[in-house]
Amino acid sequence: MNAEHPDALYVHIPFCRHICWYCDFCRTVYSEAQADAFLAALDKEFSLRKFSVQLDTIYVGGGTPTSLNERQLERLLQLLAPYAREVREYTVEINPETLSEEKAALLAEYGVNRASIGMQSSDAGLLKLMNRRHTFTDVQSCTERLQRHGIENFSLDLMYSLPGQTMKMLESSVEDALSLNPYHLSLYSLSIEENSVFGKRGYEALDEETEADMYEYICRRLQQAGYEHYETSNFARDGKRSLHNTVYWQYRDFYGAGCGASGKEGNVRYDLTRSLKEYIQDPLKRQDTVLTPQEQYFEALMMSLRLREGLDKARFFRMFGVSIDDVYRDEIAEECRRGMLVNTDERLYCTDRGWNLLNEILVDFIA
Ligand code: SF4
């Protein structure tokens, strides 16, 4: 089906120094011995899987890659070095309190050219509530440290709809984020996951109306500040969109490596084991899901409509050998009639109204 060769690699590092109370990702509290065993398994995974070395993007996420100590971080970067030679974008996720001067120097030395920093909020009370162990001053120092080592391109993660968060708190966080002049911002609305500490302790996110007001406020403010709202939750200035995440939104193939990572190659989506113990024993242990053509058409549509420019119809045809108009003729006509979608010869994309109601549109496509 999809004949494109993956040119994007995601690597999952499942360690964090502390566990945030909203988190149910694949992560565990860092221990030096476990991290050494994990890196040995990752090394084995790389030698067995033989990824293409002609990659365009690498994204190292987690967990917190910078929770590794300096020796381990260097080992990780050495392992990735053969794949990083040609990449245009090499991102590492960072928690502000875990980036020492030495780690920043290592990232720069090995060609990392983009950082994604978990700022979340600048409100000390909210950070404490989420069990995040940094302050806004740490975020500031972290960006300065990166810049000192030549890593200018950084993105900030911001969360909203947090328990007890007021509009005023949100406004201050947005202004504080803007004061650092990031090239990119990603928004996350809190969802309370059953397996997170918040879920277990019965915390609740804010009501839907406040959540929508907060989202609208951030979008307006960031656009006013000159950021392009290029994906439902992502903003960039000076053309610095996330190249790696665009691979997901364009439904292109990508490799996933490391405990708990997911990847997609052709019509197979795979999830590597989330159990660190299993991964250390067998780093190839994974679950494959073979996607039907219908599932792939829908996933491609769902991901692409998150982008402002929507779905590229020629790319869709190249990937699947069928036109999106033939697959969803009636649904597209109906959504265009309702003023939710625009359908041109080249693209299918949401109107402003449709973008705000994207989930509703997608339900109509499933139906
Ligand atoms: S730093 Fe990220 S991965 Fe780690 S616990 Fe917090 S939210 Fe989860």
Side-chain angles (χ1 to χ4, degrees), residues 284-325:
L284 298 186
K285 190 169 172 63
R286 67 186 216 182
Q287 177 126 29
D288 287 3
T289 308
V290 178
L291 301 162
T292 65
Q294 286 297 337
E295 284 168 337
Q296 292 176 77
Y297 305 154
F298 179 73
E299 288 187 355
L301 177 86
M302 175 176 74
M303 296 307 286
S304 302
L305 289 183
R306 294 182 61 95
L307 288 167
R308 174 52 87 193
E309 64 257 29
L311 181 138
D312 178 330
K313 294 166 88 169
R315 178 191 293 280
F316 185 95
F317 189 83
R318 273 200 310 278
M319 284 199 293
F320 305 117
V322 59
S323 140
I324 187 86
D325 290 299

Side-chain angles (χ1 to χ4, degrees), residues 60-71:
V60 187
T64 309
T66 47
S67 67
L68 299 175
N69 66 28
E70 280 140 30
R71 172 183 59 78

Side-chain angles (χ1 to χ4, degrees), residues 14 45 59 78 86 102 108 177 185 192 198 201-202 204 221 228 266 274 287 305 307:
E45 182 186 353
Y59 193 107
Q78 278 168 348
E86 310 276 325
E102 291 73 16
L185 289 121
I192 306 273
F198 272 169
R201 296 192 182 181
E204 284 178 16
R221 180 66 188 102
E228 179 199 13
R274 284 174 67 105
Q287 177 126 29
L305 289 183
L307 288 167

